[in-house]
Amino acid sequence: MFSSTWNFIKRHKRKFIFTGAVVGGVYLLGKYAQKKIREIQEKEATEYIAQARRQFHFESNQRTCNMTVLSMLPPLREAIVSQLNSESLTTLLKTKPANKLEIWEDLKIISFTRTIVAVYSTCMLVVLLRVQLNIIGGYLYLDNSIGKNGTTALAPPDVQQQYLSSIQHLLGDGRIHKQFCYVVSLKQSLSLLELEQQLSWIRAEVEAGSQRLLSWYMLADDENALAAQACGLTEKDVMTIKLLNETRDMLDSPDFTTVLNTCLNRGFSRLLDNLAEFFRPPPGDASLSSAPDSLAAISLPLAKIIPIINGQINTICSETPSHFVQDLLLNDQVKEFAAIVYETFSAPHELQK
């Protein structure tokens, strides 16, 4: 029996060798495939965890942006009111001075000016902080998640503080504080539609008539001013200047201009919505409210519109989330632009710069 089995094996030796080689090859190939599949799965899991961590950090950073904007609105309001003080004029009018008409003219100009300045400044504050905090956020992600192997951090705390202090340019020298020569007579009445046309004309004067880009009002333009903001040439200051220059590049980009214009359009639209509350027809007057040109059907004397305009700064620059500020913070284009900035500065290639 054993001899016959042995003879069978000898006769078919090549077949056995070939079959063994095939089986062994398939086994090794299966092991190799399993190893590669495990490596791919581990890599995908690592990438998924990293992406989830990055997304969580980004969303946390946006909440920080929102809270920072709200915290900056009171000092912005104070700066505007200090520069364009209408309260002293209203107090003076109560004394029935001889030059009452002249004071009313000044009050008209200051009231419209500070409300328009408040809209511009709040929109600029929202988009500027979105850029700055997402640049910082991107660098912090790299510092904390990827590791720098003992090299200098991209955004140490002292550099962050120095860099973010550049926001004072918007609150001070950079703030739009032009007084608009409002040509409508105090004796004239305006409908909401006519008021919208006047605001559009003023916007055109600011945005088309100025030799400066709106980004100038948000960040100092020349290298000397950037160096002055960075306060010297230490390593910390050089890093701050780098951040400021990167911010300037973002502010000068077409995407930033588009986002800022979107915010301004929404801001002035919300301002008109607020003003529309005062142009409602009297209760029970259905003829005016149903008229197709209802925006032009109701007019108010300018002397009544001035106090309404004058008080809008308290809504625009409110530290409590108002509809005006929420419209800006929750704007989809603002969110998308913030994601682009964060993605740019949290990419690993930034480590090579």
Side-chain angles (χ1 to χ4, degrees):
M1 175 181 175
F2 288 108
S3 61
S4 60
T5 302
W6 176 248
N7 290 332
F8 176 81
I9 291 173
K10 285 199 298 183
R11 285 197 307 270
H12 299 282
K13 180 173 65 174
R14 290 185 178 180
K15 293 181 180 179
F16 278 111
I17 292 172
F18 177 76
T19 302
V22 170
V23 171
V26 170
Y27 175 78
L28 292 175
L29 184 61
K31 284 290 187 181
Y32 177 77
Q34 288 177 353
K35 180 182 176 183
K36 284 298 180 183
I37 290 173
R38 278 198 305 270
E39 289 177 356
I40 292 172
Q41 289 174 337
E42 289 172 358
K43 182 180 178 181
E44 289 178 346
T46 301
E47 290 176 350
Y48 176 80
I49 293 171
Q51 185 62 32
R53 184 184 297 116
R54 194 179 186 190
Q55 182 65 26
F56 177 80
H57 186 260
F58 170 73
E59 291 172 356
S60 175
N61 199 52
Q62 303 324 295
R63 290 191 291 271
T64 301
C65 288
N66 293 343
M67 296 304 296
T68 304
V69 168
L70 293 175
S71 70
M72 293 296 296
L73 288 175
L76 176 63
R77 181 178 65 238
E78 291 173 9
I80 296 173
V81 170
S82 174
Q83 182 75 27
L84 299 165
N85 188 348
S86 63
E87 283 69 24
S88 60
L89 295 178
T90 55
T91 301
L92 191 58
L93 283 173
K94 293 176 181 178
T95 65
K96 299 181 179 179
N99 59 340
K100 182 172 69 172
L101 185 59
E102 181 182 343
I103 295 173
W104 265 104
E105 287 289 343
D106 290 341
L107 181 60
K108 175 186 70 175
I109 293 173
I110 288 179
S111 297
F112 275 89
T113 299
R114 80 175 191 174
T115 295
I116 293 168
V117 167
V119 174
Y120 272 101
S121 299
T122 302
C123 292
M124 290 177 178
L125 181 68
V126 167
V127 291
L128 175 58
L129 283 175
R130 270 292 190 276
V131 171
Q132 288 190 300
L133 291 178
N134 277 291
I135 290 176
I136 289 291
Y139 282 153
L140 283 177
Y141 175 80
L142 292 178
D143 287 341
N144 297 332
S145 299
I146 297 178
K148 299 299 298 299
N149 298 321
T151 58
T152 304
L154 291 168
D158 53 348
V159 171
Q160 294 178 46
Q161 182 177 359
Q162 197 173 57
Y163 165 62
L164 293 174
S165 68
S166 63
I167 196 71
Q168 295 302 320
H169 181 76
L170 175 60
L171 300 181
D173 294 338
R175 191 183 64 254
I176 297 176
H177 54 309
K178 173 182 178 182
Q179 289 194 347
F180 304 101
C181 297
Y182 200 71
V183 295
V184 179
S185 168
L186 286 169
K187 297 180 180 180
Q188 187 174 345
S189 293
L190 292 176
S191 66
L192 186 62
L193 183 60
E194 290 169 330
L195 189 55
E196 180 181 8
Q197 292 169 347
Q198 291 295 325
L199 290 174
S200 297
W201 174 80
I202 293 172
R203 276 195 68 183
E205 285 288 302
V206 173
E207 296 171 31
S210 175
Q211 298 299 315
R212 297 168 170 169
L213 294 173
L214 289 178
S215 60
W216 181 91
Y217 297 99
M218 289 176 269
L219 201 67
D221 193 24
D222 57 70
E223 289 297 327
N224 291 333
L226 291 175
Q229 286 181 20
C231 305
L233 294 174
T234 64
E235 182 179 3
K236 178 183 74 173
D237 301 330
V238 171
M239 295 172 71
T240 304
I241 291 176
K242 176 178 178 291
L243 290 172
L244 290 169
N245 286 332
E246 288 171 336
T247 304
R248 168 60 61 189
D249 290 341
M250 297 304 297
L251 299 190
D252 289 340
S253 69
D255 286 343
F256 179 86
T257 301
T258 299
V259 172
L260 179 57
N261 285 336
T262 298
C263 287
L264 289 172
N265 291 338
R266 189 66 200 112
F268 279 100
S269 176
R270 174 54 69 177
L271 172 63
L272 285 167
D273 288 345
N274 293 344
L275 296 176
E277 296 296 322
F278 300 91
F279 285 82
R280 293 187 179 279
D285 194 340
S287 59
L288 287 176
S289 58
S290 61
D293 57 345
S294 57
L295 290 178
I298 301 174
S299 296
L300 294 177
L302 188 58
K304 287 188 176 181
I305 295 175
I306 289 173
I308 298 170
I309 288 285
N310 190 51
Q312 289 301 307
I313 191 171
N314 297 314
T315 300
I316 296 169
C317 298
S318 172
E319 63 270 29
T320 56
S322 63
H323 290 300
F324 184 95
V325 177
Q326 285 181 333
D327 282 354
L328 302 179
L329 296 178
L330 302 179
N331 182 276
D332 287 338
Q333 283 191 296
V334 172
K335 291 180 179 179
E336 291 169 6
F337 185 66
I340 291 172
V341 176
Y342 184 86
E343 180 76 19
T344 300
F345 290 93
S346 64
H349 66 75
E350 288 293 322
L351 295 170
Q352 307 300 324
K353 291 186 177 181

